Amino acid sequence: GDKLLVTTAAAAAAVLVAAIGFGLLPQNAGQEVPREPEAAVRSTEETTAPAEIQTSPAGPEVSSGGRNPVPSTASVNVKFTYKENDTGITITGFENQGNDIPEHLVIPSEIEGKPVTAIGFAAFDGTSALTDVTIPKGVTSIGALAFWDCGNLENVNIPKTVTRIGSGAFDDTPWFDSLTEEFVICGDGVLLKYNGTDTRIVIPSTVKMISSAFAESTTLTSVSIPDSVTVIGDAAFYGCTALTSVS
């Protein structure tokens, strides 16, 4: 209906999901994190205060935003890279390499006195050293492929402030694979994953944003979307070749 917002063009969706399906990182894909005009964005590469290493007990609790992290005695100096705009900071990755790559990543809540509000497109993709990620309150958006192919990522803390998660943000991670609920809803009503087998689906009324939850669901024939949904991700229903009814 007119209330639904599609975040990117269909062509971009095809590139993103195809890349995920074949295990390839797209070269020219866009990101779902809202951007300021180029002239208003300043890219910086600065070292923040040393980030405290934190670990979480095994097993994610997606609906409640993950388990509370338990501080350890070790610390690591994470050199985050980021972009700054009028609304805050978008984390774009880090400069750490080799033995300096942290296993337990804590995203800072602010940098240079400005709030961190987003994690950018493919910010930490393919970082095999990561096992735990804690995302602070105040982050509202996690970009497409942000943690894609982090092959040892087992625990993620997603706060209730997150309202958008891009396509494939956590695909090909042990954490994502461990989510077995029929409807995996995290953050502030983000439908991250669908594990059911029904061909006719009624999406729960607690959902506000649909990420790439139904991509490549080739047996899906009918979907009923509640009034609570205001955003549909670029690849939400990509590859649903049998889908004939959406209401």
Side-chain angles (χ1 to χ4, degrees):
D2 293 338
K3 64 187 179 66
L4 301 178
L5 171 64
V6 178
T7 56
T8 62
V15 174
L16 280 175
V17 176
I20 297 168
F22 288 101
L24 299 174
L25 180 63
Q27 298 299 314
N28 296 303
Q31 66 178 22
E32 291 192 23
V33 179
R35 291 175 177 264
E36 292 293 319
E38 188 66 24
V41 177
R42 179 172 62 87
S43 178
T44 63
E45 294 186 358
E46 300 178 4
T47 303
T48 67
E52 182 179 349
I53 288 183
Q54 298 189 1
T55 60
S56 301
E61 290 185 355
V62 176
S63 60
S64 61
R67 298 181 186 269
N68 292 327
V70 180
S72 75
T73 57
S75 62
V76 63
N77 185 27
V78 180
K79 300 177 182 178
F80 289 101
T81 58
Y82 59 91
K83 291 182 179 180
E84 179 181 342
N85 55 47
D86 291 339
T87 61
I89 297 292
T90 296
I91 299 289
T92 58
F94 51 43
E95 295 179 339
N96 298 55
Q97 298 181 3
N99 293 333
D100 289 332
I101 295 178
E103 294 181 3
H104 315 285
L105 181 66
V106 179
I107 303 295
S109 59
E110 63 176 38
I111 294 177
E112 299 283 334
K114 285 200 170 187
V116 173
T117 58
I119 299 173
F121 169 78
F124 303 103
D125 66 301
T127 307
S128 60
L130 289 182
T131 62
D132 301 82
V133 172
T134 297
I135 300 169
K137 292 180 181 179
V139 170
T140 61
S141 179
I142 300 173
L145 304 180
F147 296 95
W148 171 71
D149 195 31
C150 291
N152 291 301
L153 183 59
E154 296 182 346
N155 191 49
V156 179
N157 184 325
I158 298 177
K160 291 292 187 180
T161 55
V162 171
T163 60
R164 297 191 182 195
I165 298 178
S167 303
F170 297 97
D171 283 19
D172 292 339
T173 67
W175 177 76
F176 187 78
D177 293 342
S178 73
L179 305 176
T180 58
E181 297 92 341
E182 182 179 15
F183 293 95
V184 179
I185 302 171
C186 59
D188 186 15
V190 179
L191 180 55
L192 181 65
K193 185 181 182 183
Y194 176 68
N195 288 308
T197 58
D198 292 341
T199 59
R200 301 174 63 86
I201 296 174
V202 177
I203 294 175
S205 60
T206 54
V207 173
K208 299 178 182 180
M209 187 265 176
I210 304 172
S211 186
S212 51
F214 302 103
E216 303 293 351
S217 297
T218 56
T219 61
L220 184 61
T221 61
S222 173
V223 176
S224 176
I225 302 173
D227 291 340
S228 58
V229 173
T230 58
V231 179
I232 295 180
D234 58 355
F237 298 100
Y238 175 80
C240 296
T241 54
L243 183 60
T244 57
S245 174
V246 178
S247 61

